[in-house]
Amino acid sequence: MSIAIATNAVDIENLTISYRRRGRLLRVINDVSLQIKAGEAYGLVGESGCGKSTVAMALMRYLPANAVVEHGKIMFDGQNLLELNQGALRRLWGRRMAMVYQDPGSALNPSMRIGDQIAEVFRYHLNLDKKAAMDASGSMLEKVQISNPEGVLRRYPHELSGGQQHRIMFAMALATDPELLVLDEPTTGLDATVEAEVLDLVEKLRADFNTSILFISHNLGIVARICEQVGVLYAGQLIEEGAANDVFASPRHPYTLGLLRCVPRLGMNKHTQRLDPIPGSLPALGATITGCVYADRCALARDRCRAEQPPLIQLGNGRSSRCFYHEEVSGMKPSPEARVEPPPPPSEEILLKLDHLIKTYRSGGQHTAAVADVSLEVRRGEVFGLVGESGSGKSSLAKCIVGLTNASGGTISFDNEDLSVSSHRNNQTLRRSLQMVFQNPDSALNPSYSIRSILERALKLLAGIHSHSDLDARSEELAASVKLESRHLDSRPTGLSGGQKQRASIARAFAGTPQLVLCDEPVSALDVSVQAAILNLLVDLQKSGVSYIFISHDLAVVRYIADWIGVMYLGILMEVGPAESVFSLPHHPYTESLLSAAATLDADRSFARVRLRGAIPSPSNPPSGCRFHTRCPLYLGDICKTQEPPWQQTASGNQYMCHIPPDELLAKELALRETGQQVAS
Amino acid sequence: MQIETPDPAMIPLPVVATAAPGINLPPRASRRQRARAVFIALLHSKTFMAGAIIMLFWILDAIFWPLIVPHDPNAQDLLSTLQRPSGAHLFGTDDLGRDVFSRVLAGARSVLTIAPAATALGLLGGITIGLVTGYYRGLVDDVLMRIVDALLAFPLVIIALLVLAVLGHSTLNVVLVIAVVFTPLIARTVRAAVLSEREREYVASARLLGEPGIVVMVREILPNIVGAIVVEATVRLGYAIFTAATLSFLGLGIQQPSPDWGLSISLGRGFLQVASWMVLFPALALATLVVSLNFVADGLREVLSS
Amino acid sequence: MRQFLLKRLGLTLITLVLISFAVFLVAQILPGDVGRAMLGPYASATQVSRFDHQLGVDRPLPVQYWTWITNFMRGNWGQSYLLSTPVRPLVFQRLLNSLALGAFALLLILPVSIGLGVVAALDQGKFGDRLISIVGLSLIALPEFVIGILLLVVFSIQLGWFPVASTVPSANPVDIVRQLLLPSIPLMLVLFGYISRMARAGTIVSLNSNYTRTAILKGLPRRVVIRRHVLRNSLLPTITVVSVQIGYLVGALVVIETLFNYPGMGKLVLDSAVGHDIPMLEATMLMVAIIYMVSNLVADVLLAILNPRIRLAE
């Protein structure tokens, strides 16, 4: 045993942390123990509010002023970090332990050159002189694969792209080859292709440096990819721990199982299988729970679970679970709610037709075509999934369709009416037929009104109901249809959870039987366990024959819910077709790189990853010819640069915009999957 | 790259109290519960309470002074001019033998009429303009903000003295000039609040329900920027008192024989060496009033922003 | 950078032209018949109109504006109606007097306010911060003449340390302090309120920023974190505030110079407005605007030099 302890880089014992708020102590971390071995990557996963970041900050000994460590030890380098003074910590920070967190743009000093910021670490920790520190900084930039390191040293943070800023953060963190690196949601908020780039870097750096890593993430797919060991945090408790592969393959805690089940997996779609959400929500911060923290949401829970707190039970093989009935977890069936009729298939009737739609914005005397030229059709009862990274113009397209902004060119016809004629916009029939569900449930509902009055307002305006009793009855019905309890009707948005708010927002869109609802990233602000419930709800509501345009950056979600998919890049559609066809070869090289970039838990992904070079070009100055040519892994040469590619049709029914015909594309993409394409940036 | 010139009133005030009187709200709070929570938090804010008590005193005094003054503030007694403070005249007498104590008590009324009236008018204009320009943006917005910037090039006092020189010195003119100068400044604050609010999705949703612009502004956006407006109003009220008193002092505001504080100080200045009490007490009165108002503003800001 | 500067310069010029229109118009609608006012009640109507014609006040407004502005540019600022002296030398002399008072106040209080603002921020929520904040909060609210009166009562009347009315000091440092200290204190106190509040707010924002966290977690010594990472970013916005305060100073000088009987620009503005002395009013107002716009321009340039985001913009 003593040998094992000696190889632990970090040993957290019985850590218990509370936040002092208005004289009360609210417990956020409850008796957490974990060990990170030298050179190991330990992934700590959990939904928002479970205490992940508090653990990370405690490990760095950089807790907010109102945090109180009630109990526990954090052993690092033979000393208890919790007992060190500022001077001792300063010798560890940046030298022995370092951290990289979300949003590197704000983590770099805007008024200092990159070189000076990195060189500081060398100068204060290794006592290098100015010249030597700058040279060392340059070679660090090479290690994080920055092209033109000499030039970048002299730049200021705002002159770099998001991906480059991330690399700088890693260069700074690893400058002194620390024993411990804490990564707190390092890729959250990044576009898929940039995220993939950063994760590649992490993997490469792990090979170069023998650093132990604490990797905090809500994304199980990323943790599965990076980490050997994983701990699952729920309501401040470590509820399951073990080797990442084992835990994800056969979870031994119902919560872990729930997390794994609620994300859409390969091969699942709304017709074949319902998603299996975790019922209920996270207990409130500081709530006193006598039994198991998960009992309220658990299908296995019995009286014992509510009466007695389960200990962390050792299961052998380095695994442990905080569940009395961990042996039953593998046999758990999907919850009964999970079997409902699939939605009816879409009809052939075309509901919405966009013809060469253009939307330009003017800013700083410059015209930016957010939507450059998009033509598409949505049939009645169909879900049209729209995917693309930031700057692709998906949200601008949505705004044009619902009429929040006027298109600059092209036509929109909806239910055989031409919406470009603006007088139609004001007609009530159209308003009730065309509604929208927004991304952010916190801002989509006016905080000044109760849910009831928000719904009644929508019923008045969309359904033309005015009598008090009718309004009352209909709003109850509406709430029930989105599974909101009637007691929620009288509370204000701030009193509801994210999922409940999103239900209210959906109810409002359905106040006057809509024919087309635009869903703009409707689940991306929600925790995964809630996402599944909202997706199920949207699928259920389709029995009324409604169509959706479903915008998302999450390919798995789109693949699950959409019948038809469009892939956007820099304001134009690159590819469009039936969902399964778009996801299978051959397809546009951009689609392939998006698929490669997504970190999923699906084990079958044996093929090599396609990586894009460079950053997404600015939509105000798009590349000539094919807009994707600057980053394309299958770039042919001048033809891509000078000529706009034609539409090509594959046998399975998807159309894509590329110079390469389907047969050739298939061969090239298969080759790509064989070898991967690591184009240096 | 545009550099925004900060309006001094928009600079975040330091939060003075440390015993954070934050709002303790149950998750499902009705409007009344919320108002109650704000009220309780205010009661616990030391800065707010200290300011509110002093302010309340002056407000009551401004209304009821005729009932409490020991002497008629305008009664001259040429036999007892420039008397030191004594039992008979707590704050002494002025050059015309008028009781300074009574004049100080009576002097609150003019400033507490002019300043709130000017602020109210400024708010009316400022909120309207701020809502419209913030919501619609566009050309009107650009032009208006240029005018505000140009207006800021002149100190408030200088604009006021110019306008009063043109229009003549009357109480109504003082109210109007302060209101007119405040309107664009308040509009700027309201506009900033509207700009951040209009990007929120509930505004888009209201438009999709077919709410006309005016309804979106008044019914959807306005309730959510009330906090910012309340804070702005108290800050502006403080500046209005400041400005009204200064204009009286410069002889551009209220005229004789009003017991107005600024005017009394201006007139007493000539007797500084023989009867400093003539200026000392009105000055102290004015000081307590403006400081108390700033404390109230600070307390409100602190509570409403938490 | 060059483009930015040219744009700012252009905007400043345009604003100045607009302000000159406004000043001119306001001066024109001042009540009163100029000729009648200057010649007195016993002059005949023909005398008055002849005199008006001499002054040019009977010509169309655009012509008058053009005459005025071109004369102004050539340095011909006319005669004061009230004092019957040339406007320009008087304005410049008074301007210098005011500048002495304003600069005295600003130079003394600027380092103190910024320093204490930063101290308050570093000590956030503790006693020092509360003291500095509450004092600053009270000072902002007090009109300058109230502070001035209280100072006069205590230091001039009761203690007799300073004169009741200030005059322009000689070069003797003792005299400078004796004449300028008392009138500049009200200015300093109000300036202190604003500038320290801004310095504190800027420093707190910077202290709570992610880049400061990065710097701390790099293990840098505290003084390095504060100096290189916190202050470098937090004091930038303070520059703008100081320039805005120059405009405030001009307004406050009107009050202070009146209270202390100090012969400066502010008093000149007040006297010419009250006395409807149009050439003097036009000249002083335009000077006020020029001072304000130039100080803003200087602040912008300074900010541009210090802020790489602007400096490096093409």
Side-chain angles (χ1 to χ4, degrees):
Chain A
M1 249 346 245
S2 62
I3 301 157
I5 288 169
T7 58
N8 280 345
V10 173
D11 198 337
I12 298 177
E13 290 172 34
N14 308 102
L15 188 65
T16 300
I17 299 176
S18 295
Y19 286 128
R20 194 185 295 282
R21 215 166 280 171
R22 301 195 228 301
R24 276 180 67 206
L25 280 180
L26 306 178
R27 187 160 289 183
V28 283
I29 296 297
N30 198 351
D31 198 25
V32 166
S33 301
L34 59 89
Q35 290 80 38
I36 305 175
K37 296 194 189 72
E40 175 185 78
Y42 187 105
L44 200 53
V45 299
E47 296 177 278
S48 57
C50 69
K52 306 184 295 286
S53 288
T54 306
V55 173
M57 292 328 262
L59 181 51
M60 289 303 286
R61 254 304 296 281
Y62 191 76
L63 285 165
N66 65 335
V68 182
V69 178
E70 292 189 81
H71 192 71
K73 275 202 265 187
I74 300 176
M75 299 303 293
F76 173 74
D77 194 30
Q79 34 193 351
N80 182 357
L81 289 181
L82 298 174
E83 287 166 357
L84 295 185
N85 62 20
Q86 287 288 311
L89 282 171
R90 229 170 267 142
R91 282 190 290 279
L92 290 180
W93 284 334
R95 175 78 188 84
R96 315 288 300 276
M97 58 204 285
M99 185 166 184
V100 174
Y101 33 83
Q102 221 175 321
D103 193 10
S106 73
L108 291 166
N109 186 337
S111 60
M112 262 173 94
R113 292 176 195 279
I114 296 297
D116 294 330
Q117 298 195 45
I118 304 176
E120 268 185 338
V121 182
F122 291 109
R123 297 188 60 193
Y124 287 97
H125 289 300
L126 304 182
N127 291 321
L128 297 188
D129 64 37
K130 226 175 184 159
K131 171 85 178 57
M134 201 52 86
D135 290 346
S137 308
S139 63
M140 261 331 283
L141 290 189
E142 274 167 29
K143 286 193 187 132
V144 296
Q145 298 175 321
I146 289 249
S147 50
N148 183 19
E150 288 305 308
V152 170
L153 284 176
R154 284 193 300 275
R155 299 257 178 85
Y156 285 93
H158 73 273
E159 299 174 278
L160 304 178
S161 72
Q164 281 176 311
Q165 288 172 342
H166 247 103
R167 289 171 190 272
I168 305 295
M169 287 304 291
F170 277 102
M172 216 145 74
L174 293 172
T176 55
D177 195 4
E179 283 97 323
L180 174 66
L181 182 60
V182 177
L183 305 177
D184 188 1
E185 301 267 8
T187 60
T188 305
L190 295 180
D191 272 319
T193 54
V194 183
E195 174 178 80
E197 189 191 335
V198 172
L199 292 179
D200 286 347
L201 178 69
V202 173
E203 281 185 332
K204 173 191 177 293
L205 292 174
R206 286 203 60 200
D208 296 356
F209 296 83
N210 187 32
T211 304
S212 309
I213 293 177
L214 177 67
F215 195 103
I216 308 276
S217 182
H218 67 280
N219 187 327
L220 303 184
I222 292 177
V223 170
R225 186 180 149 189
I226 301 285
C227 303
E228 289 93 36
Q229 191 76 4
V230 67
V232 183
L233 215 51
Y234 182 79
Q237 285 187 352
L238 198 63
I239 51 117
E240 177 160 15
E241 197 186 25
N245 293 337
D246 290 356
V247 171
F248 292 137
S250 62
R252 300 293 289 274
H253 192 285
Y255 175 65
T256 318
L257 180 76
L259 276 184
L260 288 167
R261 275 202 181 150
C262 64
V263 279
R265 305 286 281 269
L266 193 71
M268 274 173 79
N269 68 49
K270 61 178 174 183
H271 296 288
T272 58
Q273 203 175 347
R274 260 171 88 78
L275 296 173
D276 190 7
I278 304 176
S281 54
L282 209 67
L285 203 63
T288 40
I289 301 161
T290 39
C292 171
V293 283
Y294 188 63
D296 278 350
R297 305 175 72 181
C298 183
L300 290 181
R302 293 154 216 195
D303 290 345
R304 183 182 177 198
C305 302
R306 289 178 236 282
E308 185 186 336
Q309 197 180 79
L312 199 60
I313 302 165
Q314 297 301 323
L315 311 172
N317 249 345
R319 295 199 52 180
S320 53
S321 163
R322 217 180 253 280
C323 179
F324 291 123
Y325 306 104
H326 56 86
E327 280 162 357
E328 296 172 32
V329 171
S330 57
M332 275 174 82
K333 297 262 182 310
S335 49
E337 194 232 4
R339 275 180 296 272
V340 167
E341 290 169 58
S347 75
E348 287 302 310
E349 185 196 346
I350 288 169
L351 182 62
L352 175 83
K353 188 170 190 316
L354 307 184
D355 207 15
H356 298 289
L357 195 78
I358 296 172
K359 174 68 195 175
T360 54
Y361 292 100
R362 192 175 14 187
S363 70
Q366 214 172 4
H367 286 274
T368 301
V371 179
D373 181 358
V374 169
S375 305
L376 58 81
E377 289 170 353
V378 179
R379 277 160 298 193
R380 199 177 281 284
E382 177 179 76
V383 178
F384 189 101
L386 204 52
V387 297
E389 296 174 282
S390 58
S392 65
K394 8 182 234 310
S395 289
S396 300
L397 185 66
K399 280 186 184 162
C400 289
I401 296 171
V402 293
L404 284 173
T405 178
N406 289 322
S408 320
T411 56
I412 305 173
S413 77
F414 176 77
D415 206 9
N416 298 321
E417 237 181 298
D418 183 6
L419 295 192
S420 328
V421 187
S422 61
S423 61
H424 290 174
R425 286 287 184 198
N426 298 323
N427 117 20
Q428 197 201 17
T429 335
L430 184 65
R431 282 202 313 263
R432 80 166 57 157
S433 327
L434 197 52
Q435 278 295 320
M436 187 160 175
V437 174
F438 298 89
Q439 171 173 10
N440 189 343
D442 294 328
S443 86
L445 302 169
N446 192 333
S448 291
Y449 298 98
S450 69
I451 302 299
R452 185 186 301 277
S453 87
I454 290 170
L455 292 186
E456 285 181 356
R457 186 83 186 163
L459 286 167
K460 270 184 217 161
L461 290 163
L462 294 181
I465 301 175
H466 289 283
S467 100
H468 197 77
S469 56
D470 287 356
L471 277 177
D472 217 40
R474 269 299 284 148
S475 52
E476 296 273 353
E477 263 176 58
L478 207 51
S481 72
V482 296
K483 299 192 184 105
L484 267 183
E485 293 166 41
S486 52
R487 69 192 165 95
H488 292 139
L489 278 175
D490 292 311
S491 64
R492 284 172 188 246
T494 44
L496 301 182
S497 71
Q500 287 165 339
K501 276 184 268 203
Q502 201 59 314
R503 288 173 192 275
S505 186
I506 292 170
R508 176 178 58 193
F510 278 85
T513 46
Q515 298 181 53
L516 175 65
V517 175
L518 265 117
C519 304
D520 187 359
E521 302 267 10
V523 295
S524 60
L526 303 172
D527 271 322
V528 279
S529 65
V530 183
Q531 277 187 13
I534 297 296
L535 289 173
N536 280 345
L537 173 64
L538 286 171
V539 171
D540 290 348
L541 289 169
Q542 267 206 289
K543 66 175 181 280
S544 66
V546 67
S547 308
Y548 296 132
I549 290 182
F550 193 100
I551 297 177
S552 180
H553 67 277
D554 187 334
L555 296 182
V557 165
V558 174
R559 187 176 197 173
Y560 173 78
I561 200 167
D563 303 301
W564 205 265
I565 284 178
V567 182
M568 273 186 94
Y569 183 76
L570 286 179
I572 59 172
L573 273 176
M574 284 286 174
E575 174 155 25
V576 62
E580 277 320 307
S581 169
V582 164
F583 276 97
S584 51
L585 292 179
H587 47 208
H588 196 282
Y590 178 58
T591 312
E592 173 67 5
S593 58
L594 280 181
L595 271 176
S596 295
T600 67
L601 283 167
D602 298 323
D604 78 315
R605 232 236 323 254
S606 47
F607 53 86
R609 295 191 175 91
V610 180
R611 288 295 178 257
L612 299 183
R613 59 200 157 149
I616 304 174
S618 158
S620 62
N621 187 19
S624 59
C626 172
R627 290 185 174 225
F628 187 56
H629 83 256
T630 55
R631 303 175 76 200
C632 185
L634 298 180
Y635 177 60
L636 295 175
D638 281 347
I639 183 171
C640 299
K641 221 187 269 184
T642 53
Q643 284 184 35
E644 193 175 322
W647 280 100
Q648 315 247 18
Q649 172 114 27
T650 69
S652 55
N654 54 319
Q655 293 174 292
Y656 62 93
M657 211 185 198
C658 185
H659 291 292
I660 309 172
D663 302 342
E664 216 174 301
L665 187 63
L666 180 63
K668 286 191 179 218
E669 284 180 336
L670 284 173
L672 206 56
R673 286 190 171 187
E674 206 63 44
T675 57
Q677 171 109 352
Q678 202 78 43
V679 187
S681 56
Chain B
M1 176 122 198
Q2 175 92 23
I3 301 173
E4 289 274 326
T5 321
D7 175 359
M10 311 248 314
I11 301 167
L13 267 177
V15 171
V16 171
T18 44
I23 304 170
N24 254 322
L25 268 186
R28 287 177 239 288
S30 69
R31 191 178 299 234
R32 198 181 305 150
Q33 276 172 311
R34 213 188 126 68
R36 210 180 120 81
V38 167
F39 182 69
I40 289 171
L42 285 175
L43 284 183
H44 283 104
S45 159
K46 281 180 208 145
T47 8
F48 178 85
M49 285 311 289
I53 288 170
I54 300 173
M55 221 173 88
L56 192 66
F57 167 79
W58 284 119
I59 291 172
L60 291 176
D61 168 66
I63 300 169
F64 298 112
W65 68 265
L67 305 177
I68 52 173
V69 288
H71 300 271
D72 176 355
N74 282 329
Q76 304 187 1
D77 179 0
L78 297 177
L79 294 177
S80 53
T81 58
L82 303 176
Q83 304 242 321
R84 298 190 150 276
S86 66
H89 298 284
L90 273 180
F91 291 175
T93 61
D94 69 3
D95 56 320
L96 297 173
R98 297 175 293 195
D99 180 43
V100 174
F101 180 60
S102 305
R103 286 180 70 77
V104 166
L105 288 182
R109 185 176 280 182
S110 56
V111 78
L112 280 177
T113 312
I114 293 175
T119 311
L121 278 180
L123 278 173
L124 199 69
I127 292 174
T128 313
I129 296 175
L131 274 176
V132 172
T133 55
Y135 183 68
Y136 287 111
R137 308 290 306 270
L139 189 68
V140 190
D141 183 39
D142 290 344
V143 170
L144 204 92
M145 288 305 121
R146 279 290 89 72
I147 292 176
V148 173
D149 286 343
L151 203 65
L152 279 172
F154 281 101
L156 213 169
V157 169
I158 291 199
I159 298 177
L161 79 83
L162 250 183
V163 175
L164 290 175
V166 172
L167 299 179
H169 319 152
S170 75
T171 308
L172 182 65
N173 285 346
V174 173
V175 171
L176 287 180
V177 87
I178 297 177
V180 168
V181 175
F182 277 10
T183 299
L185 297 174
I186 294 171
R188 202 155 86 146
T189 309
V190 174
R191 173 179 173 272
V194 172
L195 280 186
S196 73
E197 209 61 31
R198 79 195 279 274
E199 296 307 320
R200 296 176 68 85
E201 289 161 345
Y202 71 81
V203 174
S205 159
R207 290 174 57 198
L208 286 184
L209 295 185
E211 309 249 31
I214 173 96
V215 178
V216 178
M217 281 186 265
V218 175
R219 187 182 181 274
E220 304 286 339
I221 296 179
L222 193 57
N224 294 313
I225 59 170
V226 162
I229 292 176
V230 167
V231 172
E232 174 73 8
T234 41
V235 170
R236 285 292 150 212
L237 186 60
Y239 280 102
I241 293 177
F242 188 124
T243 311
T246 300
L247 290 175
S248 298
F249 170 76
L250 293 176
L252 296 165
I254 297 179
Q255 301 296 314
Q256 293 251 45
S258 164
D260 180 78
W261 295 333
L263 186 64
S264 301
I265 295 170
S266 168
L267 296 173
R269 205 208 156 284
F271 300 90
L272 200 54
Q273 272 148 315
V274 286
S276 56
W277 52 88
M278 271 177 69
V279 296
L280 183 63
F281 293 106
L284 287 176
L286 193 52
T288 53
L289 177 64
V290 285
V291 169
S292 71
L293 192 62
N294 246 26
F295 280 16
V296 167
D298 187 55
L300 273 176
R301 190 194 312 258
E302 188 190 321
V303 167
L304 291 179
S305 65
S306 73
Chain C
M1 170 93 172
R2 177 177 300 156
Q3 205 182 354
F4 168 80
L5 289 182
L6 284 177
K7 206 174 145 193
R8 290 311 282 184
L9 197 67
L11 270 178
T12 305
L13 287 177
I14 292 171
T15 316
L16 276 177
V17 169
L18 288 178
I19 288 172
S20 75
F21 280 138
V23 165
F24 177 77
L25 282 178
V26 168
Q28 291 312 308
I29 51 174
L30 271 178
D33 178 335
V34 180
R36 172 67 65 195
M38 292 183 72
L39 296 178
Y42 304 111
S44 71
T46 38
Q47 277 175 312
V48 170
S49 66
R50 194 183 316 135
F51 192 73
D52 280 351
H53 186 73
Q54 260 175 11
L55 288 173
V57 293
D58 57 348
R59 279 175 287 168
L61 281 184
V63 179
Q64 283 194 50
Y65 172 76
W66 182 248
T67 317
W68 169 65
I69 199 74
T70 45
N71 277 334
F72 189 90
M73 305 276 261
R74 285 198 212 102
N76 179 7
W77 294 10
Q79 289 276 107
S80 159
Y81 292 171
L82 276 184
L83 306 169
S84 305
T85 53
V87 167
R88 198 159 70 111
L90 190 65
V91 169
F92 275 113
Q93 185 215 328
R94 295 291 194 93
L95 183 62
L96 277 180
N97 294 348
S98 287
L99 222 53
L101 184 55
F104 184 81
L106 198 60
L107 291 181
L108 274 184
I109 203 62
L110 197 57
V112 178
S113 326
I114 293 181
L116 286 180
V118 170
V119 166
L122 295 180
D123 210 21
Q124 201 187 343
K126 303 219 182 82
F127 178 75
D129 177 31
R130 292 181 66 191
L131 190 72
I132 294 168
S133 300
I134 210 144
V135 168
L137 191 61
S138 312
L139 293 179
I140 284 179
L142 288 173
E144 304 83 12
F145 73 92
V146 172
I147 304 174
I149 275 291
L150 297 177
L151 291 170
L152 276 175
V153 169
V154 175
F155 293 102
S156 300
I157 309 296
Q158 303 293 329
L159 300 170
W161 293 352
F162 295 95
V164 175
S166 296
T167 52
V168 183
S170 61
N172 178 352
V174 179
D175 195 43
I176 291 181
V177 171
R178 197 176 130 74
Q179 299 296 344
L180 296 188
L181 186 61
L182 216 50
S184 65
I185 286 178
L187 304 177
M188 289 201 270
L189 293 183
V190 178
L191 285 175
F192 172 78
Y194 280 117
I195 299 175
S196 66
R197 188 208 270 193
M198 189 64 193
R200 180 185 181 274
T203 308
I204 286 178
V205 167
S206 185
L207 272 175
N208 293 337
S209 71
N210 275 343
Y211 57 77
T212 300
R213 173 165 73 160
T214 306
I216 293 173
L217 292 182
K218 272 195 227 171
L220 302 179
R222 186 172 160 81
R223 68 190 150 76
V224 176
V225 173
I226 304 279
R227 194 165 36 95
R228 294 182 69 161
H229 294 273
V230 177
L231 293 186
R232 193 185 281 207
N233 290 298
S234 70
L235 294 184
L236 278 181
T238 314
I239 294 173
T240 321
V241 177
V242 171
S243 82
V244 173
Q245 292 315 307
I246 307 248
Y248 151 80
L249 259 182
V250 177
L253 282 172
V254 173
V255 178
I256 286 301
E257 290 173 0
T258 306
L259 179 64
F260 286 86
N261 255 323
Y262 183 84
M265 265 281 277
K267 197 156 158 40
L268 201 58
V269 172
L270 179 66
D271 290 345
S272 52
V274 173
H276 295 183
D277 188 347
I278 294 169
M280 185 69 87
L281 187 64
E282 286 171 340
T284 47
M285 294 303 285
L286 215 49
M287 281 311 288
V288 168
I290 290 172
I291 292 169
Y292 181 79
M293 299 308 291
V294 167
S295 67
N296 266 348
L297 192 67
V298 170
D300 282 354
V301 171
L302 216 59
L303 210 56
I305 292 172
L306 293 175
N307 187 342
R309 288 196 150 213
I310 305 174
R311 185 170 71 228
L312 298 178
E314 71 280 8

